[in-house]
Structures are given as structure tokens and as C-alpha cells.
Amino acid sequence: MVRASGRTDSMSRSAELVFVCGSGGLAAFGVLLVNLAREEIRAMPALAAFLVLSVAFGLLLVAMRAWAPDATPLLIPTASVLAAVGFITIYRLDENLASLHGWWLLLSATMSVLWLYAVSEKGLGHRGGGWWPLLALAAGLVVVPSLGADGGTIWLAWSSGPAVVLNPGEIVKLVMVVLFAVLLSERQAFFSAGGRYTAPLHPARVTTSWQSVLLLGLVVIIVAIRDSGTAMIVVGMFCVMAYMATNRSAYLVGGFGAGVIWLVAGPWLSEGLQTRIAVWTDPWTQPEGPGNRLAEGLFGLAAGSLSGTGFGLGEPDLIPEATTSLAFAAVGEELGLAGTVVVLAAYALMVVTGFGIALRAGEVFHKLLAGGLSLLLGGQTALSVAGAVGLLPGTAAPIPFLSYGVSLTMAGFLILAVLARVSHEERV
Amino acid sequence: MPAAILVALKFIFVGLVYLLVWRVATAVAEHVGAKPWRVLGGPGTGLTVVRSDTQTGLEFDVRRPIVLGSGSEADVRIDDAYASDLHARLDPEEESLTLADLGSTSGTYVNGKRVTAVVALSRGDSIQIGKTVLEVR
């Protein structure tokens, strides 16, 4: 029998494993460099970094081999390199935060493993119908703590300490992408039809209604928590995914128009946005005020110059939110243009791989799911980087895999797991 | 620790990151350039024996030209008394799969029609050689 697996990727499963261990080694090397710059030689933190990275991504690899054996082997290596660079940056800024981050990496990997196991029996389904209970549960989990958040804060602190915070926005984005994929694949005709279903009781409208209520509820929550970055990403995601599903460019034009209106009319509606835009247009006049965020990030990037100061030798601790939304500036300070370019290249590779999976997928739901998640990964990174370098008004958007954050790390690993599963089913 | 060594180590670190990302980039480039999984002639193209006295269920991929026949020189042996030694040839091309009869005695049939020239196959087509029936998948 000439039965062959038919794998075309030029990276084998064992190469992938070597790669993941290499990323662990990279993290250990970076941690060692940070300590060397401080005139210390400590083996334990480096060993811990190696173990955390290798075990977290190793777990995901093992789960993929068991429950998604035909998935492309190109996703995990890139993510593991980015996570290694992110881990070193966080360690360099705050050792305690890094040890917490290590736990989140392991926890997130475990969650993705459980998810892969949960879908291993029945698969993703053709139109995503089976996802509704799961989505409703996830939406509920997001809604309940969000309502408890007071004022405009989007961070929910646990009583155990200020470092353990959950930003519901990260999970909301992931849930929204799945929601859009389900909705658009189930109701493709409705979204393509434009004004055809004008009768209020047309079946296509009625059956869509309760799903729309859930969607609307989540949008209200996002507006309520005043997370303009999340709102921008979610609206953008819907427009692009609707375009993917229907090929109607009206969705893209509408999304672009909404963005312009947000930029023009937003400052009148929200004082926070007004400040952000003022800071964006002129970060130098308020170096001690709210402009500090962008200005310090730009100073950091400038100090990094071409090849960076080296780990532990710069002053990224002066950058506010260096572990979250300005992680890119912190990397830029210590690794310079050389480091930021390779980080951006790695994200581009992940997005390209994700879109490759979407293009090859057979089902509309799978296409939209993979395309949407790749877009989320790329869009969020682009938004965060653009905010850090002053191309766009700053948002609180952190970078997946590079920044610190419980739900960010979880969302990142879940995106990997879902993409892996879509990639697996495409070849079965 | 002398500053020069730290600078050297920094460059080694960045170099390692480049190396790892470069390795993925080359693999991704091949992945993107690869033919979609579902395209005939692309990866996953193959045949399944759906009716035969002894070979029902046999599957094989067609990733290079394959000769079917009962002889020992055939790439895939068809265990059928009516099959010629070198009976028919399958050719995977850019985005298609073609079949040619190699002058067999009993003939090759695609969806019941005898093959007289090279024919392009579609997914689901049935190929009959003697009493053996194969299906394109």
C-alpha cells in the first residue's frame, strides 16, 4: 500500500518540537543576559524560563499530535519565539510579574489542550451551530464581571493582589470573532441580500434576532467599559468578516466610514478620547501629563536606535504600561530596530499562516473562523504597534504573546488551538 | 561583565531570533505556495479501490506518475485476471489528474466509457480495469 500522509509542509513534527525547545533556550539565554547586565549570574531564573516556555508550548504540541495531527506545524514555532521575547521583556521589567506570567502561560496552554480534547470527538461542525451554548456561556462569563466593574475601568482586580487582573476585552474579542463566524456562515444569504428581507417577520430576520440580541449585548458591554481599542477592533472585525462572507464591499466602506466618524466625532463625545487625540497630535507639549505614555514610548524606541541597548541595559521601566500596551516600545528600546523588525516579521508570518489555513478550509464557517482569528491577531498587533509609534491615537490594546495579561495569554493560546483544529479538519 | 561581551551577546541573541524566524519563514513560503489540499493533482489526490475480489479498500496517493497493471513493473499492482501487465497510467499535473490507457487488451473505462485518448479525471470518477473499479478522491 502506497498510503502516504501527504504532508507538504517543510517542517516535521519533530522539527517543531526542537523549535519549541529552542524558544525555551532563547528565553533562558535572554534571562541570563538580563542578569549578566545586572552583574549577577543566576541559573535558576534562566532554567525556569526554559521550562515554562518548553512545557507550555510542548503541552500544546502533544495535544495537537493527539487531537489535531494533520494541523500545520507552522503556527506554534512562531508563537513560541514571540512568547520567549515577551517573557524576557516582562522579566526584565518585573521579575514577580514574569513568574506570574509563567503560570498564565502554563494555564493558558492547559486550557487550549482541554479545548482541543473537547472538540476532538465531534469536530468544529459545518455551520457552527453547536457553538451557541459555549458562546452564550462565554458571553455570560464576560458580562457578569464587566457589570461589576466600576467607573470606566476595564481592569478587574482580584482581592489577592493587583497583579492578578482580568481584562474582559481580550476574551470578548475572541468570543466576538467566533460569534461573527457562526452568524455570518449561518446567515450568509441574509447578510448578502442587503435590503431584500425588508418584511419585519421574514424568517431570515426572526431566526437571527436572538443571536443579534447577544451580539448587541456584547457591543453595549464594550461601550460601557469604554475600551475604545476593543470597540474599534470588534467593529473592524465584523466589517472585514462580513466582506469575507458576502463579497460586498459596502461592509468595508461602512467600516472605514465608521472609523473616520469615530476619529472626527469621538473627541466631542468622550473626554478621554479627546485627550488621546490631543496627545497623539502633539505628544511633546505634555511630557508629564497623559502625553507621557506616547512620549516615553517614543523616547524608548529612539534610545534603542538600530540594534538596541541590550537586555537589562536600557531604561524601559520609564515607559508606562511597558509590560502591556507599550511592550513593543520596551522591546524596541533593548533590541532596537533589528529586534522590532523581526518581531513584526514573526507576527506577519503567523497572520499569513492563519490566512493560508482560511483559504484552504472547505467550509464557510471554518474559513471565517480562521480568517477572523488571523485578522484579530494581526489587527490587534497593528493597532498596538501603531499606538506605540504614534501612527494612530494610542489605545490600551496589548500585543498577543508579547505583552503581560491573563486573558490576553489565554486568548492567544486559544487562537492557536482553534487555528490548529481548523487546519487539521481541512485535511481530514 | 565587560560591555563588549554584553554587546556581542546581544547580537548573538538577536541573530538567534532572526535564525528561528527565518526558518519558519522559509517553511511558510512553501506552505503558501503549495497547492490547496482539495485541488485535484494537489496533495491528498489519490485513488481508492471500491470493487475488487481481493483489493477492495486499497488506497494510494498519486503524487507522481503512476502506472497501474498486473505486472511486477507496475507501480500499483492490480490483482485482476483481465488487467494487462502495464495497463494504464495516471499523471498528476498542475491542477488536474489525467489517465491514459497503455494499449491494454481489455481496455480502461472512466465512468463506463472506454478510454481512447488521455482523459482528465474529476473527483468521484470511477475507473474500471477488468473487474476492478477504482474511485478518484
Side-chain angles (χ1 to χ4, degrees):
Chain A
M1 191 176 285
V2 203
R3 182 91 176 112
S5 76
R7 178 175 298 288
T8 52
D9 307 304
S10 64
M11 192 179 285
S12 65
R13 278 273 177 261
S14 41
E16 204 181 3
L17 189 66
V18 171
F19 217 105
V20 164
C21 292
S23 301
L26 197 70
F29 185 32
V31 166
L32 211 61
L33 282 182
V34 172
N35 286 324
L36 279 180
R38 294 173 183 160
E39 307 276 322
E40 293 170 12
I41 296 179
R42 288 159 64 196
M44 281 314 284
L47 185 67
F50 174 77
L51 284 178
V52 162
L53 263 293
S54 312
V55 170
F57 285 96
L59 271 178
L60 196 53
L61 275 191
V62 170
M64 275 171 64
R65 196 169 280 194
W67 301 307
D70 285 323
T72 173
L74 301 172
L75 277 170
I76 309 292
T78 333
S80 67
V81 172
L82 286 169
V85 174
F87 187 86
I88 302 163
T89 311
I90 296 166
Y91 177 83
R92 186 255 169 277
L93 288 160
D94 186 340
E95 279 189 39
N96 295 327
L97 206 61
S99 61
L100 265 177
H101 187 61
W103 286 111
W104 304 144
L105 282 171
L106 293 172
L107 181 71
S108 307
T110 313
M111 274 185 62
S112 315
V113 168
L114 290 177
W115 184 85
L116 277 172
Y117 172 70
V119 296
S120 62
E121 282 275 310
K122 292 189 175 171
L124 289 169
H126 293 301
R127 303 173 90 176
W131 285 60
W132 282 110
L134 191 72
L135 286 176
L137 185 74
L141 284 175
V142 170
V143 169
V144 171
S146 301
L147 293 178
D150 60 333
T153 180
I154 51 166
W155 295 99
L156 305 168
W158 257 241
S159 55
S160 56
V164 188
V165 289
L166 186 69
N167 178 358
E170 298 310 320
I171 305 285
V172 168
K173 285 175 212 162
L174 184 67
V175 170
M176 289 296 244
V177 170
V178 182
L179 212 61
F180 290 155
V182 173
L183 196 65
L184 287 167
S185 58
E186 279 191 347
R187 306 271 167 250
Q188 204 176 9
F190 173 75
F191 283 97
S192 316
R196 227 170 58 207
Y197 298 133
T198 40
L201 285 176
H202 190 283
R205 299 195 94 153
V206 176
T207 44
T208 309
S209 62
W210 77 269
Q211 298 154 345
S212 308
V213 167
L214 182 59
L215 207 64
L216 202 67
L218 283 171
V219 172
V220 169
I221 299 296
I222 294 169
V223 174
I225 59 179
R226 298 187 207 162
D227 186 347
S228 56
T230 303
M232 248 175 95
I233 289 177
V234 167
V235 172
M237 297 290 315
F238 178 76
C239 294
V240 180
M241 286 176 72
Y243 173 68
M244 284 184 202
T246 61
N247 203 18
R248 284 170 62 95
S249 47
Y251 285 107
L252 286 186
V253 175
F256 185 73
V260 172
I261 291 172
W262 176 77
L263 269 181
V264 174
W268 277 287
L269 302 172
S270 146
E271 205 176 313
L273 201 57
Q274 203 173 359
T275 324
R276 280 180 186 201
I277 291 184
V279 163
W280 173 52
T281 47
D282 186 9
W284 312 113
T285 52
Q286 314 149 297
E288 296 302 320
N292 189 291
R293 191 179 165 282
L294 177 56
E296 287 293 351
L298 290 176
F299 277 131
L301 285 167
S305 189
L306 277 180
S307 65
T309 57
F311 276 124
L313 297 171
E315 290 176 303
D317 26 1
L318 292 179
I319 304 172
E321 299 170 32
T323 51
T324 53
S325 56
L326 284 185
F328 186 74
V331 172
E333 176 159 359
E334 302 216 310
L335 293 181
L337 183 68
T340 48
V341 164
V342 76
V343 162
L344 288 183
Y347 279 108
L349 285 177
M350 284 185 77
V351 174
V352 166
T353 312
F355 276 121
I357 293 171
L359 285 174
R360 284 147 210 271
E363 311 287 344
V364 177
F365 172 59
H366 295 185
K367 275 184 188 297
L368 288 173
L369 195 60
L373 291 177
S374 315
L375 199 68
L376 176 62
L377 205 64
Q380 177 142 351
T381 307
L383 205 61
S384 182
V385 171
V389 300
L391 270 178
L392 282 179
T395 62
I399 308 186
F401 299 110
L402 207 63
S403 300
Y404 171 81
V406 191
S407 55
L408 180 76
T409 314
M410 280 180 189
F413 271 82
L414 281 173
I415 289 177
L416 288 182
V418 176
L419 285 178
R421 183 68 204 185
V422 176
S423 168
H424 167 75
E425 291 195 12
E426 148 214 344
R427 297 180 175 195
V428 171
Chain B
M1 177 70 56
I5 295 182
L6 283 177
V7 170
L9 288 174
K10 173 186 81 182
F11 280 112
I12 293 175
F13 179 87
V14 175
L16 279 176
V17 178
Y18 269 87
L19 202 70
L20 290 175
V21 172
W22 176 253
R23 175 71 185 84
V24 184
T26 49
V28 169
E30 283 179 34
H31 177 72
V32 170
K35 277 180 246 171
W37 193 245
R38 299 278 177 198
V39 169
L40 207 55
T45 302
L47 268 67
T48 308
V49 176
V50 290
R51 200 176 72 209
S52 159
D53 292 337
T54 55
Q55 291 178 300
T56 305
L58 170 74
E59 293 184 336
F60 55 91
D61 287 356
V62 184
R63 290 196 283 169
R64 56 185 174 81
I66 279 182
V67 173
L68 307 173
S70 57
S72 57
E73 284 177 25
D75 296 308
V76 174
R77 267 206 74 228
I78 303 292
D79 185 16
D80 191 305
Y82 294 97
S84 302
D85 285 355
L86 299 175
H87 196 106
R89 197 179 71 209
L90 291 158
D91 270 305
E93 284 168 20
E94 198 49 37
E95 288 190 356
S96 64
L97 179 66
T98 57
L99 176 76
D101 185 85
L102 297 176
S104 62
T105 322
S106 61
T108 308
Y109 296 80
V110 171
N111 298 330
K113 276 190 189 162
R114 184 159 186 162
V115 175
T116 50
V118 176
V119 288
L121 298 170
S122 305
R123 207 174 290 283
D125 279 351
S126 80
I127 302 169
Q128 187 167 353
I129 291 173
K131 285 184 188 169
T132 305
V133 179
L134 303 102
E135 197 181 278
V136 183
R137 61 169 163 78

